[in-house]
Amino acid sequence: MDAIFGSEIWKQLFVYSVTDPAHHIEVWAHVVRSLLRIGIGLGFILTIVPGLIWLERRLLSWMQGRLGPNRVGWQGLAQPIADGIKLFFKEDIIPTNVDRSLYILAPGVALAPVLMSVAVLPWNGSPDWGAVAPGLNIGILFLLAIASIEVYGVILAGWSSNNKYSLLGGLRASSQVISYELGMGLSIIAVLLMTGTLATQSIVGEQGIIGDPINIGNTAYTVYPHSLNSGFWHWHFLAFFPFGLVAAVVYLISMVAETNRARLALREADTEVEAGFHTEYSSMKFAMFFMGEYANMLIVSAIAITLFFGGWLAPWGALSQIPASAGAYLPAWLINTLNMAVIAPFWFGIKLFLLICFFIWLRATLPRLRYDMLMKFGWKGILPIGLVNVVLIALSMALQQSFGRLRGHLMAVAVGLGICFVLFVIKMATYRKRRLDTETTTISPIRREPAALPVPARRTREV
Amino acid sequence: MPPTSPGVTGEMILFIIFGAAAIATALVMVLQTNPVRSALFLVLNLFCVAVLYLLLNAWFLAAVQVLVYTGAIMVLFLFVIMLLNLGTPDREADRLRPQQPIAVLSGLVLALIIGGVVLSPLPNPSPTLRDDRLGTVEAIGRNLFDPAQPWLFPFEVTSILLLIAVIGSVVLAKRRL
């Protein structure tokens, strides 16, 4: 045993930390470590996606009073594998008039960015093993950049299929994604204001420190040891009290639209545009789109958890790690490993599961929005709310510095309530005017001269 | 080259690969006649340039390059091309043909300027980009908004310019105000 654990190779790979200046990590060790981390990240996503498809089908069935797939394997668990095998062996049809190279490229372009965004999502707090790229200092910007290129797969598929319905579905999906990206970006900016850092590890770490929920962000480039006295009341959805919650809700709505999921999914509105941009795709190419969609669901949920719901932190700080008293029975390296490899990913997984169930619940219960309603909601609802929210958080920070924490924050909240009140009054006034208009209009015939047939009536305003 | 040249480094290999890719995609983009493919090669080119920014430790610039140019502007380009359903343009009926000599001339001028810059000697000592904190968002923000630096005013003026553009497009797009 000692020949392995005491050897230099083992230490280079697993013992030395990148934050420790005493030990130099060789280039080859960096490469092997990176490959291992990529393996962990991709392995997680690719193994969890079939399970997610099974979960969605069973849970959706349960909510709708059906059984769902329950024949293949225990409780139908092997159903996604059977579907995968089926899709793999199906005939791969390429229609004659498609733009061949782009048609073949599109599914890969749709799937690759989704898998790339795993890189900055932390599953524990270690600077060495916490994420695929734990030290990346532009973490959130990287996520936004990747999210903005996810549209290309959809656009390319819609255009290259040489089919009206595909093109319409592709354009719808991409304009929807672009519109809701703005709301998403604004809620992310709210978090950036609170933390003052772009690195995802620090954003999670910042939610685990002692302090009030109303905290002023000036914390760049520090990874905090998480505190035992912290808990869910320090997570960002409760920070700056109503504002953090508004940002979280804006993010959750945009995230459903961003993934093109059912209820905000118009690319697959069957009665309108057939199956949308992937109408012409079959076999493994279709499977890649399908996988991309489910993987994207996982990714955006993981981002939501990282930003607003404390990442890998436990709801009560004491549950985040093995109690210190266990040090009497267990060796330190075992406690560390358990903390990093079991407990932190466990909490992350629990939150991921709950958020995914929320997704499925939305799909099972809500009706679909019409396309123009969806766009109006994105541009006239989500975007202004997110924008005002960011301004209010900044205002709260400025006022807190001048008037003390609680008083400054309450003043910002008062400003927010004032804005809501003014908007409410304006909205009520327009409603009243419209009602007045309706009451004072009379039905008058369309033509004054006598007609042989009774003419259809229309409503005009009486002057 | 200084005597302590490190030889072939990983950065140099990446630079050669992505620099060559950037030039190749730019050429294909210009020579391609299909507008959609041309736009897609421009996307690839922008990616390669983003990687070159990363090699210079300009993290923020690389991310913003992908976010703004490939993610927003090029998507709009593609939208317009697809909605107008542009085919391969007809060479004979090209109304821009008289512009060609002017284009060649201005290209030559640009080449002369770039050549002059490339051939001119580097300032001594040459600026170092070894500090990997230099291109982070925090460093850029601190420099940009530092009153001691001259960049705050141009930055604000640029933002007003963008605001004017936004308002102008809204005014143009709205049928009645």
Side-chain angles (χ1 to χ4, degrees):
Chain A
M1 288 301 270
D2 218 39
I4 297 173
F5 296 132
S7 70
E8 186 63 20
I9 294 176
W10 179 266
K11 281 182 179 164
Q12 281 282 342
L13 283 181
F14 298 110
V15 179
Y16 297 155
S17 168
V18 285
T19 51
D20 181 11
H23 300 290
H24 176 70
I25 297 175
E26 305 286 336
V27 174
W28 65 264
H30 272 303
V31 171
V32 175
R33 282 169 176 231
S34 307
L35 288 177
L36 280 174
R37 290 195 305 254
I38 292 171
I40 295 171
L42 281 189
F44 171 73
I45 286 285
L46 295 179
T47 50
I48 215 79
V49 162
L52 178 56
I53 293 170
W54 172 84
L55 176 74
E56 163 144 33
R57 294 181 67 182
R58 285 309 302 263
L59 197 58
L60 203 59
S61 309
W62 177 71
M63 288 176 182
Q64 295 173 341
R66 303 184 280 124
L67 278 177
N70 63 350
R71 293 302 177 92
V72 191
W74 180 78
Q75 290 290 317
L77 253 176
Q79 184 70 42
I81 300 167
D83 286 346
I85 294 170
K86 185 197 78 172
L87 281 168
F88 195 76
F89 285 108
K90 268 178 99 167
E91 186 187 357
D92 191 5
I93 299 165
I94 299 181
T96 21
N97 277 330
V98 298
D99 189 318
R100 218 181 147 82
S101 49
L102 293 185
Y103 178 84
I104 293 170
L105 198 66
V109 175
L111 184 58
V114 180
L115 297 182
M116 270 167 79
S117 31
V118 187
V120 288
L121 296 171
W123 55 77
N124 66 40
S126 154
D128 298 286
W129 296 98
V132 177
L136 193 64
N137 59 38
I138 51 163
I140 288 296
L141 265 184
F142 175 83
L143 281 180
L144 279 174
I146 296 296
S148 72
I149 59 172
E150 271 164 23
V151 195
Y152 280 105
V154 176
I155 297 185
L156 286 186
W159 184 76
S160 65
S161 294
N162 198 18
N163 172 344
K164 278 177 214 147
Y165 295 118
S166 296
L167 183 60
L168 281 177
L171 288 179
R172 270 184 173 197
S174 43
S175 54
Q176 175 187 342
V177 169
I178 291 170
S179 311
Y180 278 86
E181 228 163 58
L182 296 169
M184 206 172 190
L186 283 172
S187 55
I188 290 176
I189 287 176
V191 173
L192 297 190
L193 271 177
M194 293 176 198
T195 54
T197 170
L198 287 164
T200 44
Q201 282 279 26
S202 322
I203 288 177
V204 175
E206 204 259 352
Q207 299 178 61
I209 55 163
I210 309 176
D212 349 25
I214 313 162
N215 42 25
I216 297 172
N218 187 20
T219 56
Y221 309 118
T222 40
V223 179
Y224 293 96
H226 55 276
S227 146
L228 295 181
N229 296 328
S230 75
F232 66 89
W233 54 93
H234 292 137
W235 296 351
H236 284 145
F237 77 105
L238 288 179
F240 288 93
F241 174 59
F243 306 141
L245 199 60
V246 171
V249 170
V250 165
Y251 183 88
L252 289 179
I253 293 172
S254 322
M255 136 184 139
V256 179
E258 175 89 10
T259 46
N260 278 318
R261 283 278 305 169
R263 298 326 99 178
L264 294 180
L266 291 154
R267 60 170 205 192
E268 287 176 44
D270 301 340
T271 49
E272 297 163 28
V273 287
E274 197 62 31
F277 63 89
H278 56 57
T279 308
E280 300 286 355
Y281 282 88
S282 55
S283 184
M284 268 321 272
K285 296 205 187 70
F286 170 74
M288 278 171 86
F289 277 123
F290 200 63
M291 252 178 74
E293 185 184 327
Y294 278 85
N296 202 6
M297 233 166 104
L298 277 176
I299 295 290
V300 289
S301 307
I303 297 173
I305 292 165
T306 306
L307 292 178
F308 295 104
F309 303 107
W312 42 266
L313 296 167
W316 283 273
L319 298 177
S320 287
Q321 56 194 31
I322 293 172
S325 55
Y329 319 105
L330 297 170
W333 65 267
L334 184 65
I335 291 180
N336 264 334
T337 313
L338 284 177
N339 279 338
M340 290 298 174
V342 179
I343 294 186
F346 168 77
W347 288 113
F348 191 76
I350 288 277
K351 291 175 195 172
L352 201 57
F353 175 76
L354 289 177
L355 214 52
I356 292 287
C357 289
F358 169 73
F359 255 105
I360 297 169
W361 181 35
L362 278 186
R363 179 174 172 181
T365 46
L366 294 180
R368 186 165 64 220
L369 284 173
R370 219 171 50 214
Y371 180 65
D372 60 322
M373 290 159 81
L374 181 82
M375 294 305 268
K376 199 184 262 179
F377 184 55
W379 285 97
K380 295 186 174 172
I382 291 293
L383 184 64
I385 290 174
L387 205 55
V388 170
N389 193 38
V390 168
V391 173
L392 285 176
I393 290 175
L395 184 72
S396 167
M397 285 168 139
L399 290 176
Q400 282 180 41
Q401 275 169 351
S402 322
F403 296 99
R405 293 205 135 183
L406 190 60
R407 223 156 37 123
H409 183 67
L410 285 178
M411 284 162 84
V413 173
V415 171
L417 286 176
I419 292 174
C420 288
F421 180 72
V422 169
L423 283 180
F424 180 73
V425 168
I426 293 174
K427 203 74 189 167
M428 283 308 284
T430 47
Y431 275 137
R432 192 164 301 144
K433 188 167 176 292
R434 197 175 296 162
R435 210 179 57 210
L436 225 65
D437 285 355
T438 327
E439 279 168 0
T440 51
T441 50
T442 51
I443 294 171
S444 62
I446 199 163
R447 273 182 286 171
R448 297 284 178 195
E449 66 261 33
L453 290 167
V455 288
R458 71 166 183 188
R459 292 172 141 216
T460 51
R461 179 107 55 92
E462 201 173 54
V463 186
Chain B
M1 262 195 184
T4 53
S5 164
V8 180
T9 58
E11 281 172 27
M12 196 188 281
I13 296 168
L14 282 176
F15 174 75
I16 290 169
I17 292 173
F18 284 97
I23 294 171
T25 48
L27 278 179
V28 177
M29 177 237 155
V30 174
L31 299 174
Q32 181 73 244
T33 47
N34 182 338
V36 171
R37 299 203 173 187
S38 192
L40 289 174
F41 274 105
L42 183 54
V43 171
L44 277 184
N45 180 41
L46 292 169
F47 266 116
C48 294
V49 175
V51 175
L52 296 184
Y53 285 148
L54 276 185
L55 290 178
L56 295 171
N57 286 330
W59 303 93
F60 177 68
L61 208 53
V64 168
Q65 160 102 352
V66 174
L67 187 61
V68 174
Y69 284 98
T70 58
I73 294 181
M74 287 316 293
V75 170
L76 282 183
F77 269 48
L78 274 177
F79 251 70
V80 172
I81 294 171
M82 286 172 184
L83 281 177
L84 296 180
N85 204 7
L86 297 173
T88 309
D90 194 357
R91 286 208 167 224
E92 299 306 313
D94 196 354
R95 284 188 298 148
L96 297 178
R97 213 169 169 76
Q99 280 188 5
Q100 275 181 1
I102 305 169
V104 170
L105 199 68
S106 50
L108 278 178
V109 171
L110 185 65
L112 271 178
I113 294 171
I114 293 176
V117 172
V118 169
L119 293 179
S120 64
L122 284 172
N124 202 17
S126 56
T128 173
L129 283 168
R130 280 286 151 195
D131 183 11
D132 64 348
R133 287 270 170 262
L134 199 65
T136 60
V137 183
E138 203 200 14
I140 287 177
R142 286 201 189 285
N143 272 314
L144 203 59
F145 293 101
D146 186 0
Q149 307 270 16
W151 295 312
L152 184 56
F153 182 68
F155 175 79
E156 296 292 348
V157 170
T158 314
S159 66
I160 290 173
L161 194 67
L162 288 174
L163 185 67
I164 292 170
V166 170
I167 293 172
S169 60
V170 168
V171 169
L172 284 178
K174 224 168 158 72
R175 280 191 212 106
R176 61 190 170 85
L177 286 171

